[in-house]
Amino acid sequence: MAPTGVYPAVSPLPESRSRRRTQVPQTLDAAAVRAWCSLALEALGREREEIDAINVYPVADGDTGTNLYLTVESAAQAVEAVFAAHETGSPTPAPADVIRAMAHGALIGARGNSGTILAQLLRGMAERIGDGDHLAGALRRAAGLAREAVAHPVEGTILSVAGAAADAAESAPGSLADTARASYTGARTALDATPGQLAVLDRAGVVDAGGRGLLVVLGALVEAVSGEAPVAPPLAHVRREPAALAAEPCADGGPAFEVIYLLEADDAAVARLRTRLDGFGDSLVVVGGDGLWNVHVHVDDAGAAVEAGVEAGRPYRIRITHFDSGVAVTREQVQRAVVVVVPGEGLAGLCAEAGATTVLARPGEPPASGELVEAIRRAHAREVVLLPNSAELRHTAAAAAEQARTEGVRVALIPTRAAVQGIAALAVHEPDRRFDEDVVAMTAAAGATRYAELAVAERQSWTSAGVCQAGDVLGLIDGDVAVIGTDVAGTAETVLNRMLAAGGELVTLVLGEDVPDEVAERLERYVRDGHLAVDTMVYRGGRQSTPLLIGVE
């Protein structure tokens, strides 16, 4: 069943379906690529739930169809942006520009294992078509590039289906449409063979979900270049009832987290990153090039995977998903989850280890409501507690919560204004408690936490604490400048003294990546010497907008 009102649609095709049937392109031109994108998104929207339902490998988390849809949605939006940049009456975009936009959009929007591989397949096609190659050559390059991107290729997956599509295309004489049809037929045959190649598929009685999604994309290509959608024969394997499928194990004792991020880095750094991440977990896929990469891996230590990215270059749009733990990871929807916005990679790992779904807010790059909605969907829960951890995200988070409610998710928005309040709320979260009681307890914990942050003044200006000069360290308590100092440690001590004057039981310190450990040690001693009954917790926040966050409960 196709989703209704859940996913935003891209702009409609410039031609009706009836006109497309009479105007068949003989080359993969700009209009054909645009049609392909739109038709693929349309088809994945229809097939999304069915593909989710047969997702058992590499993790049975029931989201392959959704991930492929979101990947193609990003690709389609990038293609529409290219066309929108051309005013009415101006020349049509060059085919190379459109196919490269499609590949780039898929790269930056890739979701999950299959979505990341699909992005690499599109990149391979874009390379060859952009250079004027024919469709068969483009499919061959795509299959090869995708296989190279996977650390340990496995037969019976989307890689096998892509390879078979390329083989069939190369042996097909005739027109572009004939080549597309041949690639589809080859992919269809390979997909039916996947249960015989991968035992977990055979046990579950399903074909590979990623391969099924690729077949949908290839079917859209056939329709775009021929005007006729291929008629798919019945699947060789029919999925079992949901209860049986949910009980299927994936990889016994598999990693607990899926980590995905975009990475700006050079080729040499990425080669080292591949080697390092390969030792952390499995399902490693690194796609991209020309300085921009999409990294996907399943690990037990999410923080280490992110830190490896930091050492390689600049990671951003970091998404960490905690799989439902246990020997067998299932696709069953959980009752309750927490979605938390965090300002740094270190906190993302910390919150993910506590079971939360995280959204990273990098300096100057606050998440949009769509990113929060997507995180709520990724949490895959009937009830969600949303912690925005920023006053500036109040309206954005409210919009995301409202959208998720229309999709049947019960969402409670706790208006946390700082990451330390979110940490306090997450610390008292108990998923076995009644939803309302859990929300009240988390809200109370957040409300009982005063927060402060240190910032460096960029210019001379007036503040509530007086005039500051460029380079001064500002101590903000509950959002207002309360202290003006000359160094981080001394200013932090003054801030702590003021905050603890009203009492407190626990001090939380979140250090930015450039703050040395000696500062944390000095502040711990300061609290211990002046307030014997107060405990101190120290965390590394990674790259965040402020050198130090302070919470006092």
Short mmCIF file of all heavy atoms in Angstrom, two decimals, residues 67 70-71 74 103-121 123 145-146 148-151 258-267 270 273-274 277 283-297 305 309 314-319 374:
data_model
loop_
_atom_site.label_atom_id
_atom_site.label_comp_id
_atom_site.label_asym_id
_atom_site.label_seq_id
_atom_site.Cartn_x
_atom_site.Cartn_y
_atom_site.Cartn_z
N ASN A 67 14.32 3.57 3.46
CA ASN A 67 15.63 4.16 3.20
C ASN A 67 15.85 4.42 1.71
O ASN A 67 16.40 5.47 1.32
CB ASN A 67 16.73 3.24 3.73
CG ASN A 67 16.83 3.26 5.24
OD1 ASN A 67 16.42 4.23 5.88
ND2 ASN A 67 17.37 2.21 5.82
N LEU A 70 13.78 7.48 0.68
CA LEU A 70 14.37 8.74 1.11
C LEU A 70 15.61 9.08 0.29
O LEU A 70 15.88 10.25 0.00
CB LEU A 70 14.72 8.68 2.59
CG LEU A 70 13.52 8.62 3.54
CD1 LEU A 70 13.98 8.32 4.96
CD2 LEU A 70 12.73 9.93 3.51
N THR A 71 16.38 8.06 -0.10
CA THR A 71 17.55 8.28 -0.93
C THR A 71 17.15 8.82 -2.30
O THR A 71 17.73 9.80 -2.79
CB THR A 71 18.35 6.97 -1.09
OG1 THR A 71 18.74 6.50 0.21
CG2 THR A 71 19.60 7.19 -1.94
N SER A 74 15.83 12.43 -2.20
CA SER A 74 16.90 13.43 -2.21
C SER A 74 17.46 13.60 -3.61
O SER A 74 17.75 14.72 -4.05
CB SER A 74 18.01 13.00 -1.24
OG SER A 74 19.05 13.95 -1.21
N ALA A 103 22.93 11.83 -8.92
CA ALA A 103 23.88 11.06 -8.13
C ALA A 103 24.29 11.81 -6.87
O ALA A 103 24.41 11.23 -5.78
CB ALA A 103 25.11 10.73 -8.97
N HIS A 104 24.52 13.13 -6.99
CA HIS A 104 24.93 13.92 -5.83
C HIS A 104 23.81 13.98 -4.80
O HIS A 104 24.05 13.85 -3.59
CB HIS A 104 25.31 15.33 -6.26
CG HIS A 104 25.78 16.20 -5.13
ND1 HIS A 104 27.01 16.05 -4.53
CD2 HIS A 104 25.15 17.21 -4.46
CE1 HIS A 104 27.14 16.93 -3.55
NE2 HIS A 104 26.03 17.65 -3.49
N GLY A 105 22.58 14.16 -5.27
CA GLY A 105 21.45 14.19 -4.34
C GLY A 105 21.30 12.89 -3.60
O GLY A 105 21.01 12.87 -2.40
N ALA A 106 21.50 11.77 -4.31
CA ALA A 106 21.43 10.47 -3.64
C ALA A 106 22.55 10.31 -2.63
O ALA A 106 22.35 9.75 -1.54
CB ALA A 106 21.50 9.35 -4.68
N LEU A 107 23.74 10.82 -2.96
CA LEU A 107 24.88 10.70 -2.05
C LEU A 107 24.62 11.43 -0.74
O LEU A 107 24.83 10.87 0.35
CB LEU A 107 26.14 11.26 -2.71
CG LEU A 107 27.40 11.32 -1.84
CD1 LEU A 107 27.89 9.93 -1.50
CD2 LEU A 107 28.50 12.13 -2.51
N ILE A 108 24.17 12.67 -0.82
CA ILE A 108 23.99 13.43 0.42
C ILE A 108 22.75 13.01 1.19
O ILE A 108 22.63 13.27 2.39
CB ILE A 108 23.94 14.95 0.13
CG1 ILE A 108 22.73 15.31 -0.72
CG2 ILE A 108 25.23 15.41 -0.52
CD1 ILE A 108 22.57 16.81 -0.93
N GLY A 109 21.82 12.33 0.51
CA GLY A 109 20.60 11.90 1.20
C GLY A 109 20.52 10.42 1.44
O GLY A 109 19.46 9.92 1.85
N ALA A 110 21.61 9.67 1.18
CA ALA A 110 21.57 8.21 1.29
C ALA A 110 21.22 7.76 2.70
O ALA A 110 21.72 8.30 3.68
CB ALA A 110 22.92 7.62 0.87
N ARG A 111 20.37 6.78 2.80
CA ARG A 111 19.95 6.23 4.08
C ARG A 111 20.17 4.72 4.08
O ARG A 111 19.85 4.03 3.12
CB ARG A 111 18.45 6.49 4.33
CG ARG A 111 18.02 7.95 4.30
CD ARG A 111 18.63 8.73 5.47
NE ARG A 111 18.00 10.03 5.61
CZ ARG A 111 18.36 11.13 4.98
NH1 ARG A 111 19.38 11.08 4.12
NH2 ARG A 111 17.75 12.27 5.18
N GLY A 112 20.70 4.22 5.17
CA GLY A 112 20.84 2.79 5.34
C GLY A 112 21.85 2.15 4.40
O GLY A 112 22.45 2.81 3.54
N ASN A 113 22.01 0.85 4.55
CA ASN A 113 22.97 0.11 3.75
C ASN A 113 22.60 0.14 2.27
O ASN A 113 23.42 0.50 1.41
CB ASN A 113 23.00 -1.35 4.26
CG ASN A 113 24.20 -2.12 3.74
OD1 ASN A 113 24.44 -2.15 2.56
ND2 ASN A 113 24.94 -2.74 4.65
N SER A 114 21.37 -0.21 1.94
CA SER A 114 20.96 -0.27 0.54
C SER A 114 20.90 1.10 -0.11
O SER A 114 21.25 1.26 -1.28
CB SER A 114 19.59 -0.96 0.43
OG SER A 114 19.67 -2.31 0.84
N GLY A 115 20.46 2.11 0.64
CA GLY A 115 20.43 3.46 0.09
C GLY A 115 21.81 3.97 -0.23
O GLY A 115 22.02 4.65 -1.25
N THR A 116 22.79 3.63 0.61
CA THR A 116 24.16 4.05 0.36
C THR A 116 24.72 3.37 -0.88
O THR A 116 25.39 4.00 -1.71
CB THR A 116 25.04 3.72 1.59
OG1 THR A 116 24.44 4.27 2.77
CG2 THR A 116 26.43 4.31 1.44
N ILE A 117 24.43 2.08 -1.04
CA ILE A 117 24.89 1.37 -2.24
C ILE A 117 24.19 1.91 -3.48
O ILE A 117 24.82 2.08 -4.54
CB ILE A 117 24.65 -0.14 -2.08
CG1 ILE A 117 25.55 -0.70 -0.95
CG2 ILE A 117 24.93 -0.88 -3.39
CD1 ILE A 117 25.27 -2.15 -0.60
N LEU A 118 22.90 2.21 -3.39
CA LEU A 118 22.19 2.78 -4.53
C LEU A 118 22.82 4.11 -4.94
O LEU A 118 22.96 4.40 -6.14
CB LEU A 118 20.71 2.98 -4.19
CG LEU A 118 19.87 3.65 -5.29
CD1 LEU A 118 19.87 2.81 -6.56
CD2 LEU A 118 18.45 3.90 -4.80
N ALA A 119 23.23 4.92 -3.97
CA ALA A 119 23.88 6.19 -4.29
C ALA A 119 25.16 5.96 -5.08
O ALA A 119 25.47 6.71 -6.02
CB ALA A 119 24.19 6.95 -3.00
N GLN A 120 25.91 4.91 -4.73
CA GLN A 120 27.13 4.62 -5.46
C GLN A 120 26.83 4.08 -6.87
O GLN A 120 27.56 4.39 -7.83
CB GLN A 120 27.97 3.61 -4.69
CG GLN A 120 29.37 3.40 -5.24
CD GLN A 120 30.32 4.56 -4.92
OE1 GLN A 120 29.90 5.67 -4.68
NE2 GLN A 120 31.62 4.28 -4.93
N LEU A 121 25.76 3.32 -7.00
CA LEU A 121 25.34 2.85 -8.32
C LEU A 121 25.02 4.04 -9.23
O LEU A 121 25.43 4.08 -10.40
CB LEU A 121 24.12 1.94 -8.20
CG LEU A 121 24.37 0.54 -7.61
CD1 LEU A 121 23.05 -0.12 -7.25
CD2 LEU A 121 25.14 -0.33 -8.60
N ARG A 123 26.14 7.04 -8.89
CA ARG A 123 27.39 7.76 -9.16
C ARG A 123 28.13 7.11 -10.33
O ARG A 123 28.66 7.80 -11.21
CB ARG A 123 28.27 7.77 -7.91
CG ARG A 123 29.62 8.46 -8.13
CD ARG A 123 30.47 8.44 -6.88
NE ARG A 123 31.81 8.99 -7.14
CZ ARG A 123 32.10 10.29 -7.14
NH1 ARG A 123 31.15 11.16 -6.87
NH2 ARG A 123 33.32 10.70 -7.39
N LEU A 145 31.64 -0.11 -9.32
CA LEU A 145 31.92 0.89 -8.30
C LEU A 145 31.22 0.56 -6.99
O LEU A 145 31.77 0.74 -5.90
CB LEU A 145 31.46 2.27 -8.82
CG LEU A 145 32.17 3.50 -8.24
CD1 LEU A 145 33.66 3.45 -8.54
CD2 LEU A 145 31.56 4.78 -8.82
N ALA A 146 29.98 0.05 -7.08
CA ALA A 146 29.25 -0.31 -5.86
C ALA A 146 29.92 -1.46 -5.13
O ALA A 146 30.04 -1.46 -3.90
CB ALA A 146 27.81 -0.68 -6.22
N GLU A 148 33.08 -2.22 -5.18
CA GLU A 148 34.31 -1.71 -4.58
C GLU A 148 34.04 -0.96 -3.28
O GLU A 148 34.90 -0.91 -2.39
CB GLU A 148 35.02 -0.78 -5.56
CG GLU A 148 35.61 -1.48 -6.78
CD GLU A 148 36.13 -0.47 -7.80
OE1 GLU A 148 36.14 0.74 -7.47
OE2 GLU A 148 36.50 -0.88 -8.91
N ALA A 149 32.86 -0.35 -3.17
CA ALA A 149 32.54 0.48 -2.00
C ALA A 149 32.22 -0.35 -0.76
O ALA A 149 32.28 0.16 0.36
CB ALA A 149 31.36 1.39 -2.32
N VAL A 150 31.88 -1.62 -0.96
CA VAL A 150 31.49 -2.49 0.16
C VAL A 150 32.72 -3.23 0.65
O VAL A 150 33.42 -3.88 -0.14
CB VAL A 150 30.39 -3.48 -0.28
CG1 VAL A 150 30.02 -4.41 0.87
CG2 VAL A 150 29.16 -2.71 -0.77
N ALA A 151 32.97 -3.14 1.94
CA ALA A 151 34.19 -3.74 2.50
C ALA A 151 34.24 -5.24 2.27
O ALA A 151 35.28 -5.80 1.92
CB ALA A 151 34.29 -3.41 3.99
N GLU A 258 23.88 1.58 14.10
CA GLU A 258 24.16 1.96 12.73
C GLU A 258 24.63 3.41 12.76
O GLU A 258 23.98 4.27 13.34
CB GLU A 258 22.91 1.86 11.86
CG GLU A 258 23.14 2.32 10.42
CD GLU A 258 21.86 2.33 9.60
OE1 GLU A 258 20.91 3.05 9.99
OE2 GLU A 258 21.80 1.63 8.58
N VAL A 259 25.78 3.67 12.16
CA VAL A 259 26.35 5.02 12.12
C VAL A 259 26.48 5.44 10.66
O VAL A 259 27.04 4.72 9.85
CB VAL A 259 27.74 5.08 12.80
CG1 VAL A 259 28.31 6.49 12.72
CG2 VAL A 259 27.63 4.63 14.26
N ILE A 260 25.93 6.60 10.34
CA ILE A 260 26.01 7.15 8.99
C ILE A 260 26.41 8.61 9.09
O ILE A 260 25.90 9.33 9.95
CB ILE A 260 24.66 7.05 8.25
CG1 ILE A 260 24.13 5.62 8.24
CG2 ILE A 260 24.77 7.56 6.82
CD1 ILE A 260 22.74 5.50 7.65
N TYR A 261 27.33 9.05 8.24
CA TYR A 261 27.62 10.48 8.18
C TYR A 261 28.21 10.84 6.83
O TYR A 261 28.77 9.99 6.12
CB TYR A 261 28.56 10.92 9.31
CG TYR A 261 29.82 10.13 9.53
CD1 TYR A 261 30.95 10.32 8.74
CD2 TYR A 261 29.90 9.20 10.57
CE1 TYR A 261 32.12 9.61 8.98
CE2 TYR A 261 31.06 8.48 10.81
CZ TYR A 261 32.17 8.68 10.02
OH TYR A 261 33.33 7.98 10.25
N LEU A 262 28.03 12.10 6.47
CA LEU A 262 28.74 12.65 5.33
C LEU A 262 30.12 13.08 5.80
O LEU A 262 30.28 13.52 6.94
CB LEU A 262 27.99 13.84 4.74
CG LEU A 262 26.67 13.54 4.03
CD1 LEU A 262 26.03 14.83 3.55
CD2 LEU A 262 26.87 12.59 2.86
N LEU A 263 31.10 12.96 4.93
CA LEU A 263 32.48 13.25 5.32
C LEU A 263 33.18 14.02 4.22
O LEU A 263 33.19 13.59 3.06
CB LEU A 263 33.23 11.94 5.59
CG LEU A 263 34.71 12.07 5.96
CD1 LEU A 263 34.86 12.70 7.33
CD2 LEU A 263 35.40 10.71 5.90
N GLU A 264 33.77 15.14 4.60
CA GLU A 264 34.65 15.87 3.70
C GLU A 264 36.08 15.44 4.01
O GLU A 264 36.58 15.71 5.11
CB GLU A 264 34.48 17.38 3.89
CG GLU A 264 33.12 17.90 3.47
CD GLU A 264 32.95 19.38 3.72
OE1 GLU A 264 33.89 20.00 4.28
OE2 GLU A 264 31.88 19.92 3.39
N ALA A 265 36.72 14.76 3.06
CA ALA A 265 38.08 14.25 3.30
C ALA A 265 38.71 13.88 1.97
O ALA A 265 38.01 13.68 0.96
CB ALA A 265 38.03 13.02 4.22
N ASP A 266 40.05 13.79 1.96
CA ASP A 266 40.73 13.41 0.73
C ASP A 266 40.80 11.88 0.62
O ASP A 266 40.49 11.15 1.57
CB ASP A 266 42.12 14.03 0.65
CG ASP A 266 43.03 13.64 1.81
OD1 ASP A 266 42.93 12.50 2.30
OD2 ASP A 266 43.85 14.47 2.24
N ASP A 267 41.21 11.40 -0.54
CA ASP A 267 41.20 9.96 -0.81
C ASP A 267 42.09 9.18 0.16
O ASP A 267 41.72 8.09 0.61
CB ASP A 267 41.67 9.70 -2.25
CG ASP A 267 40.67 10.18 -3.29
OD1 ASP A 267 39.63 10.73 -2.88
OD2 ASP A 267 40.92 10.01 -4.49
N VAL A 270 40.42 8.77 3.51
CA VAL A 270 39.29 7.83 3.44
C VAL A 270 39.80 6.39 3.37
O VAL A 270 39.20 5.49 3.96
CB VAL A 270 38.40 8.17 2.23
CG1 VAL A 270 37.37 7.07 1.99
CG2 VAL A 270 37.70 9.50 2.46
N LEU A 273 40.53 5.50 6.79
CA LEU A 273 39.27 5.37 7.53
C LEU A 273 38.61 4.02 7.26
O LEU A 273 38.10 3.38 8.18
CB LEU A 273 38.32 6.50 7.14
CG LEU A 273 36.93 6.46 7.76
CD1 LEU A 273 37.01 6.64 9.27
CD2 LEU A 273 36.03 7.52 7.14
N ARG A 274 38.62 3.58 6.00
CA ARG A 274 38.04 2.28 5.67
C ARG A 274 38.69 1.17 6.49
O ARG A 274 38.01 0.32 7.06
CB ARG A 274 38.24 1.97 4.18
CG ARG A 274 37.41 2.78 3.20
CD ARG A 274 37.80 2.36 1.78
NE ARG A 274 37.29 3.25 0.77
CZ ARG A 274 36.13 3.10 0.14
NH1 ARG A 274 35.36 2.09 0.47
NH2 ARG A 274 35.74 3.95 -0.79
N LEU A 277 37.60 1.52 10.24
CA LEU A 277 36.22 1.16 10.51
C LEU A 277 35.96 -0.32 10.29
O LEU A 277 35.11 -0.92 10.95
CB LEU A 277 35.27 1.98 9.63
CG LEU A 277 35.16 3.48 9.96
CD1 LEU A 277 34.19 4.15 9.00
CD2 LEU A 277 34.70 3.69 11.40
N SER A 283 29.09 -4.41 7.83
CA SER A 283 28.24 -3.66 6.90
C SER A 283 28.86 -2.31 6.53
O SER A 283 28.16 -1.31 6.40
CB SER A 283 26.83 -3.45 7.50
OG SER A 283 26.19 -4.68 7.71
N LEU A 284 30.18 -2.31 6.37
CA LEU A 284 30.88 -1.07 6.04
C LEU A 284 30.73 -0.76 4.56
O LEU A 284 31.08 -1.57 3.70
CB LEU A 284 32.36 -1.19 6.40
CG LEU A 284 33.26 -0.04 5.95
CD1 LEU A 284 32.82 1.27 6.63
CD2 LEU A 284 34.72 -0.33 6.28
N VAL A 285 30.20 0.43 4.28
CA VAL A 285 30.07 0.93 2.91
C VAL A 285 30.51 2.38 2.91
O VAL A 285 29.97 3.20 3.67
CB VAL A 285 28.61 0.84 2.39
CG1 VAL A 285 28.55 1.27 0.92
CG2 VAL A 285 28.05 -0.56 2.56
N VAL A 286 31.48 2.71 2.09
CA VAL A 286 31.96 4.09 1.95
C VAL A 286 31.84 4.46 0.47
O VAL A 286 32.49 3.86 -0.37
CB VAL A 286 33.41 4.25 2.42
CG1 VAL A 286 33.85 5.70 2.30
CG2 VAL A 286 33.56 3.77 3.87
N VAL A 287 30.99 5.42 0.17
CA VAL A 287 30.73 5.79 -1.22
C VAL A 287 31.01 7.27 -1.42
O VAL A 287 31.02 8.05 -0.48
CB VAL A 287 29.27 5.47 -1.63
CG1 VAL A 287 28.96 4.01 -1.38
CG2 VAL A 287 28.28 6.35 -0.87
N GLY A 288 31.22 7.64 -2.68
CA GLY A 288 31.44 9.04 -3.00
C GLY A 288 32.77 9.25 -3.70
O GLY A 288 33.31 8.35 -4.36
N GLY A 289 33.32 10.43 -3.56
CA GLY A 289 34.58 10.80 -4.19
C GLY A 289 34.66 12.29 -4.38
O GLY A 289 33.73 13.03 -4.00
N ASP A 290 35.77 12.76 -4.92
CA ASP A 290 35.97 14.20 -5.13
C ASP A 290 35.83 15.00 -3.84
O ASP A 290 35.31 16.12 -3.84
CB ASP A 290 35.00 14.73 -6.19
CG ASP A 290 35.16 14.02 -7.53
OD1 ASP A 290 36.32 13.72 -7.89
OD2 ASP A 290 34.14 13.76 -8.20
N GLY A 291 36.27 14.40 -2.73
CA GLY A 291 36.28 15.12 -1.46
C GLY A 291 35.04 14.98 -0.62
O GLY A 291 35.02 15.42 0.54
N LEU A 292 33.96 14.36 -1.14
CA LEU A 292 32.73 14.19 -0.37
C LEU A 292 32.33 12.73 -0.37
O LEU A 292 32.21 12.10 -1.42
CB LEU A 292 31.60 15.03 -0.96
CG LEU A 292 30.25 14.94 -0.22
CD1 LEU A 292 30.39 15.45 1.22
CD2 LEU A 292 29.17 15.72 -0.97
N TRP A 293 32.09 12.19 0.83
CA TRP A 293 31.83 10.76 1.00
C TRP A 293 30.62 10.55 1.90
O TRP A 293 30.32 11.38 2.76
CB TRP A 293 33.04 10.05 1.61
CG TRP A 293 34.31 10.36 0.90
CD1 TRP A 293 35.10 11.46 1.08
CD2 TRP A 293 34.94 9.59 -0.12
NE1 TRP A 293 36.19 11.43 0.23
CE2 TRP A 293 36.12 10.28 -0.52
CE3 TRP A 293 34.64 8.37 -0.74
CZ2 TRP A 293 36.97 9.80 -1.49
CZ3 TRP A 293 35.50 7.89 -1.71
CH2 TRP A 293 36.64 8.60 -2.08
N ASN A 294 29.98 9.40 1.72
CA ASN A 294 28.93 8.97 2.64
C ASN A 294 29.41 7.69 3.29
O ASN A 294 29.72 6.71 2.59
CB ASN A 294 27.61 8.74 1.88
CG ASN A 294 26.43 8.56 2.84
OD1 ASN A 294 26.47 7.73 3.73
ND2 ASN A 294 25.39 9.34 2.63
N VAL A 295 29.49 7.70 4.61
CA VAL A 295 30.05 6.57 5.36
C VAL A 295 28.92 5.86 6.10
O VAL A 295 28.11 6.50 6.79
CB VAL A 295 31.11 7.06 6.37
CG1 VAL A 295 31.67 5.89 7.18
CG2 VAL A 295 32.23 7.80 5.64
N HIS A 296 28.87 4.55 5.96
CA HIS A 296 27.86 3.73 6.63
C HIS A 296 28.55 2.53 7.27
O HIS A 296 29.33 1.83 6.62
CB HIS A 296 26.81 3.25 5.63
CG HIS A 296 25.86 2.21 6.17
ND1 HIS A 296 26.19 0.88 6.31
CD2 HIS A 296 24.58 2.33 6.62
CE1 HIS A 296 25.17 0.22 6.83
NE2 HIS A 296 24.19 1.07 7.02
N VAL A 297 28.26 2.26 8.56
CA VAL A 297 28.86 1.11 9.24
C VAL A 297 27.99 0.71 10.42
O VAL A 297 27.29 1.54 11.00
CB VAL A 297 30.30 1.44 9.71
CG1 VAL A 297 30.30 2.49 10.82
CG2 VAL A 297 31.05 0.18 10.15
N ALA A 305 33.37 5.23 16.01
CA ALA A 305 33.16 5.35 14.56
C ALA A 305 33.11 6.80 14.14
O ALA A 305 33.64 7.18 13.09
CB ALA A 305 31.88 4.63 14.16
N GLY A 309 35.92 9.32 11.94
CA GLY A 309 35.58 10.27 10.89
C GLY A 309 36.17 11.64 11.16
O GLY A 309 36.63 12.32 10.23
N ARG A 314 36.07 16.11 7.99
CA ARG A 314 34.97 16.81 8.66
C ARG A 314 33.67 16.03 8.46
O ARG A 314 33.03 16.11 7.41
CB ARG A 314 34.79 18.22 8.12
CG ARG A 314 33.77 19.04 8.91
CD ARG A 314 33.64 20.45 8.36
NE ARG A 314 32.69 20.56 7.28
CZ ARG A 314 31.38 20.80 7.45
NH1 ARG A 314 30.88 20.93 8.65
NH2 ARG A 314 30.59 20.92 6.41
N PRO A 315 33.25 15.26 9.48
CA PRO A 315 31.97 14.56 9.36
C PRO A 315 30.81 15.49 9.75
O PRO A 315 30.95 16.33 10.63
CB PRO A 315 32.11 13.42 10.37
CG PRO A 315 33.05 13.95 11.41
CD PRO A 315 33.97 14.91 10.71
N TYR A 316 29.70 15.34 9.09
CA TYR A 316 28.50 16.09 9.45
C TYR A 316 27.27 15.30 9.01
O TYR A 316 27.39 14.24 8.41
CB TYR A 316 28.51 17.50 8.85
CG TYR A 316 28.57 17.58 7.34
CD1 TYR A 316 27.45 17.90 6.59
CD2 TYR A 316 29.77 17.38 6.67
CE1 TYR A 316 27.50 17.98 5.21
CE2 TYR A 316 29.84 17.47 5.29
CZ TYR A 316 28.71 17.77 4.56
OH TYR A 316 28.76 17.85 3.19
N ARG A 317 26.09 15.83 9.35
CA ARG A 317 24.83 15.08 9.17
C ARG A 317 24.98 13.67 9.74
O ARG A 317 24.64 12.67 9.10
CB ARG A 317 24.43 15.02 7.69
CG ARG A 317 24.03 16.36 7.11
CD ARG A 317 23.30 16.19 5.80
NE ARG A 317 23.00 17.47 5.20
CZ ARG A 317 22.33 17.63 4.06
NH1 ARG A 317 21.87 16.58 3.42
NH2 ARG A 317 22.10 18.84 3.56
N ILE A 318 25.47 13.61 10.95
CA ILE A 318 25.72 12.32 11.60
C ILE A 318 24.40 11.75 12.11
O ILE A 318 23.62 12.42 12.79
CB ILE A 318 26.70 12.50 12.76
CG1 ILE A 318 28.04 13.02 12.23
CG2 ILE A 318 26.91 11.18 13.51
CD1 ILE A 318 29.00 13.46 13.31
N ARG A 319 24.15 10.48 11.77
CA ARG A 319 22.95 9.80 12.25
C ARG A 319 23.39 8.49 12.92
O ARG A 319 24.08 7.67 12.31
CB ARG A 319 21.99 9.49 11.09
CG ARG A 319 21.42 10.71 10.43
CD ARG A 319 20.38 10.35 9.36
NE ARG A 319 20.98 9.61 8.27
CZ ARG A 319 21.59 10.17 7.23
NH1 ARG A 319 21.71 11.48 7.16
NH2 ARG A 319 22.09 9.43 6.26
N GLU A 374 12.23 12.72 10.28
CA GLU A 374 12.91 11.51 9.84
C GLU A 374 13.48 10.74 11.03
O GLU A 374 13.42 9.51 11.08
CB GLU A 374 14.02 11.87 8.86
CG GLU A 374 14.76 10.65 8.33
CD GLU A 374 16.12 10.99 7.79
OE1 GLU A 374 16.30 12.11 7.29
OE2 GLU A 374 17.01 10.13 7.88
#
